[in-house]
């Protein structure tokens, strides 16, 4: 469930920043290479969770996104990272992240 929440937060953030609209025209997409999750407290069925996400690093073909997952009381349930690769549909491998995509994100 945590990975699903992370992917949903990443997609919402990228959409809000305008980068998702660029992907179809570029023939590429983001693919998760690795997830790292540190579980601090449990979440329970029916709990509302809040997820903060930000881009921490942008390399030529990859990007590191961080997450902080909290419950409604503000208690941190987990801290996580995803290493994303920018992958070309045609080449089926990572390619350089275009400036029009990387410029959508502030590195925090």
């Amino acid at each position: 469930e945590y990975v699903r929440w992370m992917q949903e937060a990443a997609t919402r953030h990228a959409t809000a920043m305008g980068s998702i609209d660029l992907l179809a025209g570029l023939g590429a997409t983001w693919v998760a290479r690795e997830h790292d999750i540190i579980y601090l407290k449990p979440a329970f069925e029916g709990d509302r969770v809040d997820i903060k996400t930000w881009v921490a690093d942008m390399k030529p073909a990859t990007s590191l996104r961080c997450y902080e997952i909290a419950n409604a009381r503000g208690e941190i349930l987990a801290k996580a990272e995803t290493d994303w690769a920018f992958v070309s549909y045609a080449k089926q491998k990572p390619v350089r992240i275009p400036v029009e995509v990387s410029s959508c994100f502030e590195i925090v």
Side-chain angles (χ1 to χ4, degrees), residues 17-96:
M17 302 311 292
S19 76
I20 294 293
D21 294 336
L22 300 171
L23 298 181
L26 295 169
T29 193
W30 293 102
V31 175
R33 293 178 45 186
E34 181 179 345
H35 299 290
D36 183 31
I37 304 172
I38 300 171
Y39 298 98
L40 303 169
K41 292 184 175 218
F44 298 98
E45 186 174 350
D47 281 356
R48 190 192 94 205
V49 295
D50 295 310
I51 303 171
K52 293 180 185 174
T53 186
W54 61 95
V55 175
D57 188 12
M58 186 83 60
K59 294 182 180 171
T62 64
S63 178
L64 182 68
R65 177 179 287 279
C66 297
Y67 310 83
E68 191 173 85
I69 302 168
N71 62 20
R73 294 179 299 285
E75 299 170 321
I76 305 300
L77 305 178
K79 294 182 178 187
E81 298 177 344
T82 300
D83 184 30
W84 293 93
F86 195 72
V87 175
S88 161
Y89 292 129
K91 295 180 181 180
Q92 294 291 297
K93 66 179 186 175
V95 295
R96 183 171 289 279

